[in-house]
Amino acid sequence: MKIGEAADASGVSAKMIRYYESIGLIDAPPRSASGYRHYREDDIHMLLFIRRGRELGFSMAQLRTLTSLWRDKSRASADVKRLANAHIETLNERIASLQAMADTLKTLARQCHGDARPDCPILDAFAAHNGQK
Amino acid sequence: MKIGEAADASGVSAKMIRYYESIGLIDAPPRSASGYRHYREDDIHMLLFIRRGRELGFSMAQLRTLTSLWRDKSRASADVKRLANAHIETLNERIASLQAMADTLKTLARQCHGDARPDCPILDAFAAHNGQK
DNA sequence: ATCAACCTTACCACCATGGCAAGGTCAAGC
DNA sequence: GCTTGACCTTGCCATGGTGGTAAGGTTGAT
C-alpha cells in the first residue's frame, strides 16, 4: 500500500505519516526500488491507534509511551491506566480553566446592555486597574 | 518608565511588550536618546487590558478588535457584547470537545483493572479496527 | 509519447512565548 | 574616571503539530 492509500485507510494525512516517521513515532517502512514507502495492514493499525490517541487529546510524548505499551505484549495494564488517569487530570484542568473564562465572560456579558451606548462593563472589567475585579 | 518596569507593572513580559508592538497591537512608544522605550501610565493600562483579555482566552485577532473598541469612546456596547458572546460560544465548544475526550477516557479507565495483567480495554479501544467503538 | 495522478524531499508559515547571544547604556560605588 | 552589575537593544532559534508549496521523479493508463 502506498502512502496515499495508507492515509485514506487510516485517516492520517500522508504529511503526518511522514512526520511521525521522522520523529520516530512509527517505524520507517520498506521502500520500493523507486523510493516509494510501502505499508502493510499492521502499519495501518498503528496509524489508526495513533489517530485515536490524538483524538482523545494525548500529546505526542504520551503517544510515544502508549504505542510502546501497545507493542509490549507483556505490559501491565496499570501503566496504561496511570497514563490515562494523568491525562484525564490534565483534561479536567484545561476544562476548569476554560470554564472559568466562560463563566467570567458570561457574567460580564449579562451585565452589558448591548445597545448603541458606549458604556460597557466588559471593557470596564478589562480596563480595571483598581480593585474592581 | 522603562520596559522592565512596564513589564513588572503590567504583568506582560518585556518580550511580549516588544512583540505586541511589532505586530501593531500597541503603539510604538517614544524612545530615549539611546533607544530605550519609554512608557507612561496609559500604556500600562493598555497592557493590563491586553493581559486580561488574553487571560480570558481571547485570540490576538480578537484583542486587536477589543483594543480598538476600547480606544473608541463612541463604540456601541453591542459590538463588545457580540464579540464576547462569540468567544463564549468558542469556549463552550472547546469545553465540550475536551469533556467528550475526558468522558470517553473515564469510561475506558473504569473498565481497566489496572494491575499487572496486560489486557487493557483502553489499548483495545485505541486499536479497534472493527466496529468496537 | 503523453498526461494525470501519484510519490519524493525540502523548505516556509502558523501562534504566542521563552531563551540565548552579542553588544550598548546607565547608575552606583569606588 | 573606571568598574561593575543591572538593564536595554536587536536578532535568531525552538516550541508543536499541521498545512502549504515547489521542484522533480515514478507509475500507469491511454
Side-chain angles (χ1 to χ4, degrees), chain B residues 11 22 26 31 39 50 71 79 88 96 109 120 122 126 133:
Chain B
S22 81
I26 59 176
R31 304 278 190 123
Y39 298 92
I50 292 168
R71 273 185 274 243
D79 289 341
I88 289 169
C120 173
I122 303 172
F126 279 33
K133 197 222 146 224

Side-chain angles (χ1 to χ4, degrees), chain A residues 34-70:
Chain A
S34 53
Y36 285 20
R37 289 171 180 80
H38 190 260
Y39 297 93
R40 276 159 311 137
E41 272 310 299
D42 277 0
D43 301 317
I44 307 306
H45 294 160
M46 174 62 90
L47 289 171
L48 281 167
F49 181 95
I50 291 168
R51 180 162 76 89
R52 296 207 175 87
R54 294 290 298 148
E55 284 171 357
L56 287 177
F58 285 95
S59 69
M60 301 302 291
Q62 288 172 315
L63 254 301
R64 216 176 275 273
T65 305
L66 282 170
T67 53
S68 87
L69 286 170
W70 190 44

Side-chain angles (χ1 to χ4, degrees), chain A residues 75-78, chain B residues 113 115-120:
Chain A
R75 73 217 156 214
S77 61
Chain B
H113 34 64
D115 56 17
R117 283 173 293 171
D119 51 303
C120 173

Side-chain angles (χ1 to χ4, degrees), chain B residues 60-128:
Chain B
M60 300 302 290
Q62 287 172 315
L63 254 301
R64 215 176 275 273
T65 305
L66 282 170
T67 53
S68 85
L69 285 170
W70 191 45
R71 273 185 274 243
D72 177 6
K73 295 303 178 204
S74 68
R75 74 217 156 216
S77 62
D79 289 341
V80 183
K81 189 168 184 169
R82 193 177 324 114
L83 195 53
N85 281 330
H87 184 44
I88 289 169
E89 197 54 40
T90 303
L91 288 173
N92 284 340
E93 283 164 18
R94 280 156 59 185
I95 289 167
S97 166
L98 293 178
Q99 193 65 63
M101 294 180 196
D103 289 348
T104 301
L105 272 174
K106 275 172 202 158
T107 301
L108 291 174
R110 210 176 326 110
Q111 293 163 3
C112 175
H113 34 64
D115 56 17
R117 283 173 293 171
D119 51 303
C120 173
I122 303 172
L123 292 182
D124 290 349
F126 279 33

Side-chain angles (χ1 to χ4, degrees), chain B residues 10-35:
Chain B
S10 67
V12 178
S13 73
K15 197 79 190 244
M16 280 302 102
I17 296 176
R18 294 192 196 98
Y19 173 67
Y20 292 160
E21 179 188 329
S22 81
I23 64 172
L25 183 60
I26 59 176
D27 289 337
R31 304 278 190 123
S32 73
S34 53

Side-chain angles (χ1 to χ4, degrees), chain B residues 1-3 5 28-32 35-40 43:
Chain B
M1 219 191 300
K2 287 187 291 186
I3 198 168
E5 299 165 89
R31 304 278 190 123
S32 73
Y36 285 19
R37 290 172 179 80
H38 191 260
Y39 298 92
R40 277 160 311 137
D43 301 317

Side-chain angles (χ1 to χ4, degrees), chain A residues 56-103:
Chain A
L56 287 177
F58 285 95
S59 69
M60 301 302 291
Q62 288 172 315
L63 254 301
R64 216 176 275 273
T65 305
L66 282 170
T67 53
S68 87
L69 286 170
W70 190 44
R71 273 185 274 241
D72 177 5
K73 295 303 180 204
S74 67
R75 73 217 156 214
S77 61
D79 289 340
V80 183
K81 189 167 185 170
R82 193 178 323 115
L83 195 53
N85 281 331
H87 184 44
I88 289 169
E89 197 54 39
T90 302
L91 288 173
N92 284 340
E93 282 163 19
R94 279 155 59 183
I95 290 167
S97 165
L98 293 178
Q99 192 66 62
M101 294 180 196
D103 289 348

